[in-house]
């Protein structure tokens, strides 16, 4: 027992022991007898008897002096309060009496007192508990209320959300339906309108006999109404196309002067003869060329100028162009009736017109500006108005002089062919689809060469031989069918597989002309990849040698290049790497900067010293921060320096591709010998 435990036991135990002489004087007492009864040698045992009960102790003493006593109870003062102690005694040979005692559990009184005290405690505790309970239930009620409120408002939010989603959904559906109806109806309207316009023209020209004055007048009314309707239908059709995201960008290079002179020729006739109104085209900046959709720019400007002419009686309508940074800024100013600022937004809405006596004199559909703004945005630009009532208006059209996608498409068209990737010619007029093909075909080992028209495709075919052609066109124009027919009838191109991906269901015609596959849009990516892989002629994949003493780094690179068209060779030391390079002649080497026993410079020296390995492009991969000198030295001897920290699949593949392109294998040469990797 440790001293602490024994001490506690002593404190709690009611057992005690002491000896007395025959006179009842204490001769020895154990610590408990001393503590509980206050007995010490020399003290009389009688001193601790409870007043009035002395005889009981005397009787015990008298008996114990003659014989051993067992379990004799006497009242004594324990801790100075009356208690009952039960004794057994033993008469020792030396004449002393040995007492073994045990203080009995507290007498009834003290037990009751204690009970009372405990009860009082319990009552107080109970009171405290019920007070806390009350508090808790009040808080609980508050919480329940708050929870209910929250739940209510949550329900509200959920309902609102569902309602909004419903509305958005039905709006989307309505917009879809509207778009389709408008597109179909407009399309259907055009044919009969063509007939009305054509026939009224014939009649007016007198081809079928002379007409009376009155008949001519009536016919002219018919014709001008039909013309208005025709304009409206065309605007609606254009608008619905742009809104549905089906606008097609047809970028081309053109000189600003050409655009202005074409517009001048087209719009001059709108100026009433003999009117006090002048249409002026300011000379555009000399030699300014634009590379964007000329048709759409011209359409917007025609709209703006014809509006300006409509709403201006005298003075001038002035068209100007300037280049501000990357943007071409066109301004159409007039000295007409002007527009109040509160109508600035409304006029750009569909069918938004200003109502007033001046406006009511001229006819219009209210679609022109809505369409013009959409077209401007479609070209990556904007259309704004400034105006003052009675003073005239100025419409400003800002568009990038070179459409951003033109740059991107050109880059794709003119990038060198990567010998490790199979080129696929994608004939597609929708740039979004081109970029989509680019994205998922390029990572799978193919190189997309885009052609936005059949003509472009033909000229690209003169320079390269693709592994396959994805002919993704609206097979409506005869030229597309003819292109397919030409490809398949020409001995040089007959073998190139053509996959037709389209929205028209003319499979028979496509097959008859020699299409190898016919799919309806949208094309399933996996299916396309599977097909392309099965069509592409398999060849040896480009081999990439990784020299790195860290197995984890090699594993990581192998993982990164897993789906790529490259085959990986690995070497764990510099000498092994150099030996492997000599034997296997990899297309590219990825070299760790710090190997166990040498640096990249040592390995580079060995590679450059051997004529067999001298020309193999090396890309250094490092996890070290290189100092300026080391970086410059490495840059001079290697293709690229890649940091292990920021290494990604795309980066690795691009760097390898660039390195391969630099070996001279990458020019557009149409040799048909491109290899395609294992997948
Ligand atoms: P439309 O001219 O066919 O009515 P637009 O969308 O082209 O439709 O024009 C919308 C409205 O904007 C016109 O009806 C007219 O009230 C106002 N507006 C457009 N251009 C001018 C202008 N140059 N001067 C004054 N008001 C104009």
């Amino acid at each position: 027992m440790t001293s602490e435990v024994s001490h506690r036991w002593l404190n709690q135990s009611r057992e005690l022991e002491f000896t007395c002489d025959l006179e009842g004087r204490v001769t020895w007492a154990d610590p408990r007898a001393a503590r509980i009864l206050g007995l010490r040698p020399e003290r009389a045992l009688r001193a601790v008897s409870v007043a009035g009960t002395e005889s009981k102790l005397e009787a015990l003493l008298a008996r114990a002096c003659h014989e051993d006593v067992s379990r004799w109870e006497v009242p004594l003062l324990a801790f100075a309060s009356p208690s009952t102690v039960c004794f057994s005694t033993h008469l020792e040979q030396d004449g002393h009496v040995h007492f073994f005692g045990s203080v009995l559990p507290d007498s009834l009184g003290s037990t009751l007192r204690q009970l009372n005290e405990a009860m009082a405690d319990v009552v107080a505790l109970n009171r405290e508990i019920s007070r806390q309970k009350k508090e808790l239930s009040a808080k609980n009620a508050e919480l329940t209320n708050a929870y209910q409120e929250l739940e209510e408002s949550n329900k509200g939010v959920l309902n609102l959300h569902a309602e909004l989603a419903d509305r958005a959904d039905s709006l989307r559906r309505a917009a879809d339906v509207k778009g389709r109806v408008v597109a179909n109806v407009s399309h259907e309207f055009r044919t009969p309108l063509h007939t009305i316009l054509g026939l009224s023209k014939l009649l007016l020209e007198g081809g079928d006999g002379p007409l009376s004055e009155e008949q001519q007048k009536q016919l002219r009314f018919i014709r001008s109404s039909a013309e208005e309707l025709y304009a409206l239908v065309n605007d609606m059709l254009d608008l619905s196309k742009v809104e549905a995201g089906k606008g097609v960008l047809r970028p081309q290079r053109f000189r600003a002067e050409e655009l202005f002179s074409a517009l001048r020729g087209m719009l001059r006739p709108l100026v009433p003869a003999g009117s006090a109104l002048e249409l002026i085209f300011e000379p555009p900046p000399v030699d300014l060329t634009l590379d964007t959709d000329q048709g759409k720019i011209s359409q917007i400007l025609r709209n703006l100028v014809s509006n300006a002419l409509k709403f201006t009686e005298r003075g001038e309508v002035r068209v100007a162009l300037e280049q501000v940074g990357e943007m071409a800024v066109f301004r159409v100013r007039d000295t007409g009736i002007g527009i109040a600022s509160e109508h600035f937004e409304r006029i750009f809405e569909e069918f938004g017109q200003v109502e007033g006596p001046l406006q009511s004199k001229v006819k219009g559909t209210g679609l022109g500006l809505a369409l013009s703004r959409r077209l401007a945005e479609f070209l990556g630009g904007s259309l704004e108005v400034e105006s003052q009532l009675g003073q005239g208006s100025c419409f400003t059209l800002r568009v990038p002089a070179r459409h951003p996608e033109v740059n991107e498409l050109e880059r794709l068209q003119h990038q060198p062919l990567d010998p490790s990737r199979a080129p696929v010619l994608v004939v597609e007029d929708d740039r979004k689809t081109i970029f989509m093909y680019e994205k998922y075909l390029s990572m799978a080992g193919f190189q997309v060469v885009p052609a936005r028209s059949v003509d472009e495709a033909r000229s690209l075919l003169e320079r390269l031989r693709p592994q396959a052609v994805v002919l993704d066109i609206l097979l409506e124009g005869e030229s597309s069918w003819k292109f397919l027919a030409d490809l398949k009838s020409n001995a040089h191109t007959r073998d190139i597989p053509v996959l037709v991906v389209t929205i028209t269901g003319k499979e028979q015609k496509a097959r008859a002309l020699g299409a190898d596959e016919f799919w309806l849009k949208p094309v399933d990516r996996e299916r396309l990849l599977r097909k392309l892989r099965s069509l592409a002629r398999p060849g040896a994949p480009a081999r990439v040698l990784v020299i790195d003493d860290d197995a984890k780094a090699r594993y990581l690179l192998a993982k990164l290049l897993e789906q790529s068209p490259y085959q990986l060779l690995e070497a764990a030391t510099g000498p092994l790497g150099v030996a492997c390079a000599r034997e296997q002649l990899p297309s590219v080497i990825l070299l760790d900067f710090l190997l166990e026993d040498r640096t990249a410079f040592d390995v580079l020296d060995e590679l450059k010293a051997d004529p067999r390995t001298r020309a193999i492009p090396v890309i250094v991969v490092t996890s070290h921060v290189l100092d300026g000198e080391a970086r410059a030295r490495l840059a001079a001897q290697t293709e690229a320096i890649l940091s292990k920290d920021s290494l990604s699949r795309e980066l690795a593949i691009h760097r390898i591709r660039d390195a391969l392109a630099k070996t001279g294998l990458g020019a557009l040469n149409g040799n048909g010998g491109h290899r395609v990797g294992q997948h």
Side-chain angles (χ1 to χ4, degrees):
M1 224 186 286
T2 65
S3 67
E4 191 197 341
V5 176
S6 65
H7 185 71
R8 206 176 330 130
W9 182 80
L10 274 179
N11 280 342
Q12 286 170 0
S13 170
R14 291 160 188 271
E15 305 291 320
L16 45 87
E17 204 177 331
F18 59 90
T19 51
C20 288
D21 58 17
L22 296 177
E23 308 295 316
R25 195 169 307 122
V26 176
T27 52
W28 168 83
D30 77 352
R32 287 186 305 282
R35 192 169 54 81
I36 298 173
L37 299 178
L39 295 182
R40 282 182 302 281
E42 294 303 317
R43 197 171 182 204
L45 184 57
R46 294 177 186 85
V48 295
S49 61
V50 176
T53 64
E54 291 84 354
S55 58
K56 293 198 177 174
L57 181 62
E58 288 303 335
L60 170 64
L61 277 173
R63 182 87 171 265
C65 291
H66 297 102
E67 56 183 328
D68 286 355
V69 177
S70 174
R71 306 191 61 76
W72 189 302
E73 292 183 10
V74 282
L76 286 181
L77 291 172
F79 293 121
S81 63
S83 306
T84 308
V85 184
C86 177
F87 283 114
S88 299
T89 65
H90 174 63
L91 186 59
E92 306 280 354
Q93 282 181 349
D94 61 1
H96 285 133
V97 184
H98 203 139
F99 284 79
F100 307 89
S102 166
V103 184
L104 291 185
D106 288 345
S107 59
L108 198 60
S110 82
T111 311
L112 268 176
R113 204 169 43 248
Q114 279 178 0
L115 249 180
N116 271 343
E117 280 166 16
M119 275 305 285
D121 281 354
V122 168
V123 170
L125 200 66
N126 231 350
R127 229 177 268 136
E128 179 61 18
I129 287 177
S130 35
R131 191 185 62 77
Q132 287 191 2
K133 240 178 153 179
K134 251 187 230 151
E135 256 181 38
L136 263 179
S137 64
K139 284 212 176 115
N140 209 5
E142 267 173 42
L143 270 177
T144 315
N145 275 347
Y147 180 76
Q148 267 165 359
E149 270 171 36
L150 252 180
E151 212 173 23
E152 287 294 307
S153 64
N154 200 17
K155 255 189 225 152
V157 170
L158 281 180
N159 284 344
L160 201 66
H161 209 254
E163 205 174 303
L164 273 178
D166 267 3
R167 285 210 194 152
D169 210 41
S170 58
L171 271 178
R172 228 182 343 261
R173 261 179 287 140
D176 264 9
V177 171
K178 183 194 118 188
R180 255 178 297 151
V181 169
V182 169
N184 287 337
V185 169
S186 314
H187 213 80
E188 296 307 318
F189 268 146
R190 289 216 286 199
T191 321
L193 276 171
H194 268 302
T195 316
I196 298 174
L197 286 170
L199 286 180
S200 56
K201 189 167 176 238
L202 267 182
L203 286 173
L204 274 171
E205 283 168 357
D208 282 297
L211 301 175
S212 70
E213 275 289 304
E214 200 53 32
Q215 282 171 325
Q216 281 192 20
K217 198 167 146 194
Q218 289 170 0
L219 256 182
R220 266 194 289 273
F221 280 140
I222 293 178
R223 191 174 161 75
S224 80
S225 302
E227 273 169 353
E228 273 166 31
L229 196 54
Y230 192 66
L232 172 68
V233 165
N234 279 342
D235 279 359
M236 275 173 37
L237 195 59
D238 285 350
L239 197 59
S240 75
K241 262 196 212 153
V242 184
E243 271 184 348
K246 290 196 182 129
V248 175
L249 183 76
R250 297 185 202 285
Q252 64 183 100
R253 276 175 84 81
F254 59 93
R255 291 181 43 232
E257 280 164 19
E258 287 166 21
L259 172 72
F260 270 25
S261 71
L263 281 173
R264 202 182 294 121
M266 241 182 283
L267 294 166
R268 271 267 158 75
L270 297 185
V271 185
S275 76
L277 185 59
E278 204 182 348
L279 173 61
I280 303 164
F281 280 86
E282 286 184 4
V286 188
D287 288 338
L288 172 57
T289 41
L290 297 146
D291 207 333
T292 179
D293 194 321
Q294 182 180 7
K296 294 197 171 58
I297 299 252
S298 165
Q299 192 175 357
I300 301 170
L301 291 174
R302 283 200 309 270
N303 246 323
L304 297 179
V305 174
S306 73
N307 273 351
L309 292 172
K310 271 197 297 190
F311 297 105
T312 309
E313 275 191 336
R314 60 180 58 81
E316 61 176 37
V317 171
R318 187 176 280 271
V319 187
L321 166 61
E322 62 171 328
Q323 186 165 19
V324 181
E326 313 246 288
M327 306 297 268
V329 181
F330 295 88
R331 288 204 169 79
V332 179
R333 265 179 227 282
D334 65 55
T335 54
I337 62 173
I339 304 159
S341 58
E342 67 259 33
H343 293 132
F344 282 1
E345 276 313 305
R346 192 174 145 51
I347 55 172
F348 288 104
E349 288 166 10
E350 287 171 42
F351 303 105
Q353 290 175 312
V354 181
E355 278 163 25
L358 287 169
Q359 283 86 355
S360 62
K361 283 189 211 153
V362 291
K363 290 194 191 107
T365 61
L367 282 180
L369 286 179
L371 174 62
S372 300
R373 183 173 261 183
R374 290 290 162 88
L375 289 175
E377 285 162 1
F378 183 72
L379 297 180
S382 62
L383 177 61
E384 302 296 336
V385 65
E386 288 161 78
S387 181
Q388 269 196 333
L389 261 187
Q391 303 285 312
S393 314
C394 175
F395 284 84
T396 308
L397 165 69
R398 288 188 177 78
V399 286
R402 192 174 162 80
H403 197 283
E405 281 167 14
V406 173
N407 292 333
E408 184 55 15
L409 284 173
E410 265 183 15
R411 189 190 63 75
L412 286 180
Q413 267 176 359
H414 296 291
Q415 71 181 342
L417 278 196
D418 170 356
S420 64
R421 291 194 294 161
V424 174
L425 179 64
V426 172
V427 188
E428 162 67 61
D429 58 357
D430 178 36
R431 71 225 177 278
K432 282 197 211 111
T433 315
I434 292 182
F435 292 130
M436 181 193 74
Y437 280 129
E438 210 303 296
K439 200 162 161 245
Y440 64 70
L441 291 187
S442 77
M443 290 312 274
F446 296 95
Q447 179 170 3
V448 167
V449 183
R452 277 165 300 148
S453 66
V454 164
D455 286 345
E456 256 180 34
R458 284 186 205 276
S459 82
L460 280 168
L461 277 172
E462 282 167 17
R463 293 189 286 148
L464 86 154
R465 185 182 172 84
Q467 293 273 324
V469 176
V470 176
L471 193 55
D472 192 347
I473 39 172
L474 284 167
L475 284 175
E476 277 170 2
E478 267 317 295
S479 62
S480 314
W481 292 117
K482 183 151 184 335
F483 174 64
L484 176 59
D486 288 351
L487 266 184
K488 289 299 178 181
S489 55
N490 182 328
H492 293 298
T493 53
R494 185 179 299 148
D495 295 339
I496 304 175
V498 179
L499 318 179
V500 171
V501 182
T502 179
I503 53 165
T504 62
K506 298 180 180 161
E507 177 162 5
Q508 268 188 340
K509 184 167 180 180
R511 295 270 188 204
L513 289 176
D516 296 77
E517 237 2 291
F518 183 92
W519 292 324
L520 285 179
K521 274 189 182 181
V523 66
D524 174 44
R525 167 190 163 159
E526 283 309 315
R527 195 162 146 205
L528 177 64
L529 280 181
R530 258 201 314 277
K531 187 73 198 174
L532 282 175
R533 281 174 183 153
S534 74
L535 288 174
R537 279 187 297 274
R543 287 194 305 268
V544 176
L545 168 61
V546 178
I547 308 177
D548 198 319
D549 53 3
D550 180 5
K552 287 187 292 274
R554 294 198 307 272
Y555 175 79
L556 181 68
L557 270 168
K559 272 280 169 214
L560 289 179
L561 299 179
E562 208 166 48
Q563 289 285 312
S564 77
Y566 308 115
Q567 186 190 30
L568 211 64
L569 307 169
E570 294 181 31
T573 66
L576 281 176
V578 173
C580 177
R582 283 181 188 142
E583 263 171 43
Q584 305 275 339
L585 298 178
S587 319
V588 178
I589 296 175
L590 296 179
L591 175 59
D592 181 28
F593 178 65
L594 256 194
L595 294 160
E596 212 161 81
D597 49 352
R598 55 192 69 205
T599 67
F601 294 114
D602 305 322
V603 178
L604 278 168
D605 286 347
E606 284 185 55
L607 289 171
K608 300 290 171 197
D610 189 327
R612 285 171 294 175
T613 53
R614 184 174 297 154
I616 302 175
V618 176
I619 297 172
V620 173
V621 188
T622 173
S623 51
H624 296 266
V625 180
L626 299 175
D627 65 33
E629 196 202 322
R631 184 166 279 278
R633 250 178 92 194
L634 276 181
Q637 296 187 52
T638 63
E639 294 305 321
I641 302 170
L642 286 180
S643 159
K644 282 186 183 171
D645 303 339
S646 54
L647 200 57
S648 71
R649 183 172 143 72
E650 258 171 337
L651 197 64
I653 292 181
H654 276 112
R655 288 292 169 272
I656 293 172
R657 214 177 266 167
D658 291 348
L660 286 171
K662 276 195 196 150
T663 57
L665 298 159
L668 275 177
N669 52 16
N671 61 12
H674 308 295
R675 293 168 294 184
V676 69
Q678 293 167 340
H679 304 288

